Amino acid sequence: MRELTDRALDTAARRGATYADVRIVRRLDESISVKSGRLEGASSGESEGFGVRVLVDGAWGFAASHRLETPEIDRVAAEAVRIARASATALRRAVALDDRPAAHGTYETPVAEDPFTVPLEAKIGDLLAADAAMNRVKGLAYTESMYAAQREWKTFAASDGSFTEQTITHVGSAVEANAVDGDEHQRRSYPDNGGGWQAAGYEHVRRLDLLGNAEAYADEAVALLSAPQCPPGRRTIVLDPSQLYMQIHESCGHPTELDRVFGTEASYAGTSFLTTDKLESGFRYGSDLVTIVADATAAGGMGTFGWDDEGVAAQSVPLIREGILAGYLTSRETAPRIGRRSGGAMRADGWNRIPLIRMTNINLLPVAGMSLDDIVADTDDGLYLAQCRSWSIDDRRLNFQFATEVAYEIKGGRKGRLLKNPTYTGITYELWRSCDAVGDASSYRMLGTPNCGKGEPGQAGHIGHAVSGARFRNVQVGVLD
C-alpha cells in the first residue's frame, strides 16, 4: 500500500498541490433479512478503491477510482489537482488547515467473534428462531428480523508524512413485530428499529438475545392496538435510552456540526441555530445536568476509530458542559476559524466520497445519584417514552417533533398501562433546559444509527450515542393546544 499512496502524493505534489492525502479503502458488507418466518434476502458485497484529496491555490480538489493501478493513480491525482485549480477560480475563502501532528500507527475494532466467519446458516437460524418466537403471539400482521455487518480496511497517507492503517468492524441486528387493525398499525422493535448496532463482532448479536426478547415485544405490539390514546398536554416525560439517543442525534449532534454552522452544508438537511457567537457568549443549551461529548474513543461506538479521515487522532471533545455550549464537531479546515484545532470529526462514506464533518459518538454523560428506575420512582405523574418511531425537525435544528412506539403511564412512581401513538414536541434548548434528572451509569448504553444522511452526493454515516435515560419537565405531548 505504501508504494501506491506515495505515488499518489508524489504525483499531486509534482502537479502543484500544496497538500494532499489519499485513502485506500476496501469494504465488506453482509446483510440478512427474514420476514414472517421466511428468508427474504441474504446478500454480501465488496468494494475497493482510492480517493485523492488535494489543496491547490487554497481550494480543494477530489477524485477517486476503483482501479488500484499505477497509471490510474497518476491520472486520479492529476484529476484532483485539475479540479482544485478550477475550484480556486471561484474561491470565496482560501482553505487554511490546522497544524495537527503527523499521524502514524494502526487501529482495529476489538472483535471477539468475527461476524464474517460465523456460518451464514447459523446467522439465518438465529433470525428465524427469534422470528418464530414473535409469531407465537396471536394477532400479529407480520414480523421482520434483520442482521448486517460491515468491515472496512482503510489506509490513509498525507503529504505531511502521515500513514495509518485501520480495520473497523460494525454489526447490527433487530426484530420487529407489527400488528394491524383496519387503518391502525402498531409496531414494537428490539433493540432498535433498523438494528441495534455497535462496533464489535458477532458477540454483540449474541448479547442482544433477540430470541429471549422477541415474544415480549410482540405482545406489546398487539396490546397497543387496544391501548388508550396517549392524551395531549404539558407533561413530565422520561425518555428511555432507545428514544433519548435519537433526541441527541437530531437536536445536539447535527446542530454542533461546524460546517452546518458556517452554512457550507445546508441543502441536504439544513444549517444550525448554534452560531459561533453563542460559543463566545456561553449559550445555555441545557440544565446543569447536561454534559454531552463527542467521544471517538468510546468502547463499542460506531463513531470510534484510531484517526479520522484527515489523520486527526481520536479524542473526546466537550460539546455541552454542564448545560453550556462548549464546542463543535470540527475539521482541520473549520476549527481554526473558531481558534481551535480539529476535534477529529471528518469521515467519508467509502473511497469515492470526500470526507465531511460527521458525528462520532455523541454521548450524554451519566450523572451519579439516580438510576433510571430511581427517576421513574421519583416521578409522581408522567410518561415513559421508548423507541423512536418518526421525527421531524426544522432546517436549523431548533423546532422538533418525535413520535415513539410506546408510552407507559407513570403514576405514583410506577410504570403502568400502555398508551399508544405518543408524540412530543418542543424547542431544542427549552427541552434540554427542562432536564432535571439524568440516569447514572447503571443504565448507560451504547446505541447508534448506521444511516445518518449528509452531503451531496449523499453519504450514510455510522454514528454512536451512549445514553442512560433522562427526565424532562413541562413538555408538550400530543397536539399543541
Side-chain angles (χ1 to χ4, degrees):
M1 289 296 179
R2 194 81 187 226
E3 183 179 344
L4 297 176
T5 58
D6 284 349
R7 181 82 183 201
L9 299 175
D10 290 346
T11 300
R14 282 191 285 102
R15 296 282 183 153
T18 54
Y19 168 85
D21 58 39
V22 54
R23 289 175 298 110
I24 300 174
V25 180
R26 176 187 168 211
R27 175 183 288 181
L28 191 60
D29 290 285
E30 180 181 69
S31 65
I32 304 168
S33 60
V34 166
K35 186 169 185 177
S36 298
R38 299 179 59 183
L39 177 65
E40 279 278 289
S43 65
S44 63
E46 186 169 354
S47 172
E48 186 173 30
F50 69 99
V52 178
R53 189 180 68 150
V54 304
L55 267 180
V56 178
D57 299 334
W60 287 117
F62 177 78
S65 173
H66 68 283
R67 294 170 52 197
L68 283 164
E69 303 162 355
T70 300
E72 183 69 352
I73 288 171
D74 287 342
R75 187 194 69 79
V76 167
E79 180 76 355
V81 170
R82 188 185 67 81
I83 292 169
R85 188 162 283 127
S87 298
T89 63
L91 196 62
R92 297 169 67 178
R93 174 189 286 269
V95 174
L97 301 179
D98 72 6
D99 59 349
R100 63 124 172 88
H104 299 280
T106 61
Y107 173 84
E108 184 169 357
T109 302
V111 170
E113 187 175 9
D114 186 347
F116 292 97
T117 63
V118 175
L120 180 62
E121 57 270 26
K123 290 179 279 198
I124 293 173
D126 288 343
L127 291 184
L128 287 171
D131 200 81
M134 286 191 287
N135 280 290
R136 285 196 284 271
V137 175
K138 296 190 181 304
L140 291 177
Y142 64 96
T143 55
E144 294 181 296
S145 309
M146 61 76 60
Y147 160 83
Q150 182 186 94
R151 175 168 290 156
E152 274 193 349
W153 294 265
K154 186 184 305 185
T155 300
F156 171 87
S159 52
D160 63 0
S162 294
F163 187 86
T164 63
E165 294 177 297
Q166 303 187 75
T167 304
I168 295 174
T169 303
H170 295 163
V171 296
S173 195
V175 293
E176 180 180 297
N178 294 270
V180 177
D181 182 11
D183 293 334
E184 184 169 358
H185 173 205
Q186 295 295 336
R187 180 185 82 196
R188 289 296 282 128
S189 49
Y190 170 83
D192 194 13
N193 57 67
W197 284 77
Q198 281 200 5
Y202 201 75
E203 71 277 5
H204 169 61
V205 179
R206 298 193 191 283
R207 284 196 299 264
L208 290 175
D209 188 17
L210 299 182
L211 177 60
N213 286 280
E215 192 166 339
Y217 280 77
D219 276 332
E220 280 199 346
V222 175
L224 280 169
L225 288 176
S226 56
Q229 187 79 17
C230 185
R234 306 294 296 191
R235 304 294 299 272
T236 293
I237 63 172
V238 178
L239 297 186
D240 183 79
S242 62
Q243 169 58 25
L244 184 56
Y245 92 85
M246 281 301 293
Q247 182 72 54
I248 292 170
H249 181 94
E250 299 296 342
S251 69
C252 179
H254 280 309
T256 54
E257 294 167 343
L258 197 50
D259 54 351
R260 290 190 194 279
V261 175
F262 289 147
T264 52
E265 164 67 19
S267 57
Y268 190 98
T271 58
S272 171
F273 74 98
L274 284 174
T275 48
T276 54
D277 60 304
K278 293 182 172 61
L279 180 66
E280 296 160 2
S281 65
F283 177 73
R284 177 161 286 283
Y285 172 93
S287 73
D288 290 346
L289 299 173
V290 177
T291 294
I292 297 176
V293 298
D295 187 358
T297 69
M302 288 196 293
T304 298
F305 45 74
W307 298 267
D308 75 352
D309 286 343
E310 288 191 312
V312 178
Q315 55 198 277
S316 180
V317 178
L319 299 179
I320 311 294
R321 184 184 291 118
E322 297 180 346
I324 304 299
L325 177 64
Y328 295 96
L329 294 155
T330 58
S331 64
R332 295 188 64 198
E333 176 184 353
T334 57
R337 294 178 62 181
I338 58 170
R340 299 189 181 185
R341 297 174 77 179
S342 173
M346 288 287 274
R347 289 192 288 165
D349 181 13
W351 53 268
N352 58 353
R353 294 290 184 270
I354 195 167
L356 302 171
I357 293 178
R358 303 310 303 259
M359 291 178 242
T360 54
N361 303 301
I362 311 303
N363 306 333
L364 172 63
L365 298 185
V367 176
M370 297 178 77
S371 69
L372 190 52
D373 288 342
D374 291 337
I375 292 172
V376 172
D378 184 60
T379 304
D380 184 55
D381 183 5
L383 298 169
Y384 188 96
L385 305 177
Q387 206 77 63
C388 184
R389 182 165 183 171
S390 67
W391 70 91
S392 174
I393 192 163
D394 71 20
D395 61 1
R396 296 185 68 227
R397 302 281 158 179
L398 191 59
N399 299 275
F400 65 83
Q401 179 179 22
F402 282 91
T404 62
E405 291 185 356
V406 65
Y408 304 88
E409 191 176 49
I410 302 174
K411 290 289 186 184
R414 299 173 65 90
K415 278 199 290 186
R417 61 177 180 163
L418 293 177
L419 300 171
K420 66 183 176 183
N421 303 326
T423 65
Y424 67 98
T425 187
I427 305 295
T428 292
Y429 58 81
E430 290 181 354
L431 177 90
W432 286 102
R433 290 174 184 175
S434 77
C435 178
D436 75 340
V438 176
D440 64 16
S442 63
S443 57
Y444 196 58
R445 296 167 53 195
M446 179 60 78
L447 298 159
T449 176
N451 55 8
C452 174
K454 188 173 180 180
E456 292 184 11
Q459 301 189 35
H462 283 205
I463 312 297
H465 297 286
V467 293
S468 56
R471 183 174 63 192
F472 303 84
R473 299 290 193 181
N474 195 32
V475 178
Q476 179 64 45
V477 171
V479 179
L480 288 166
D481 295 331

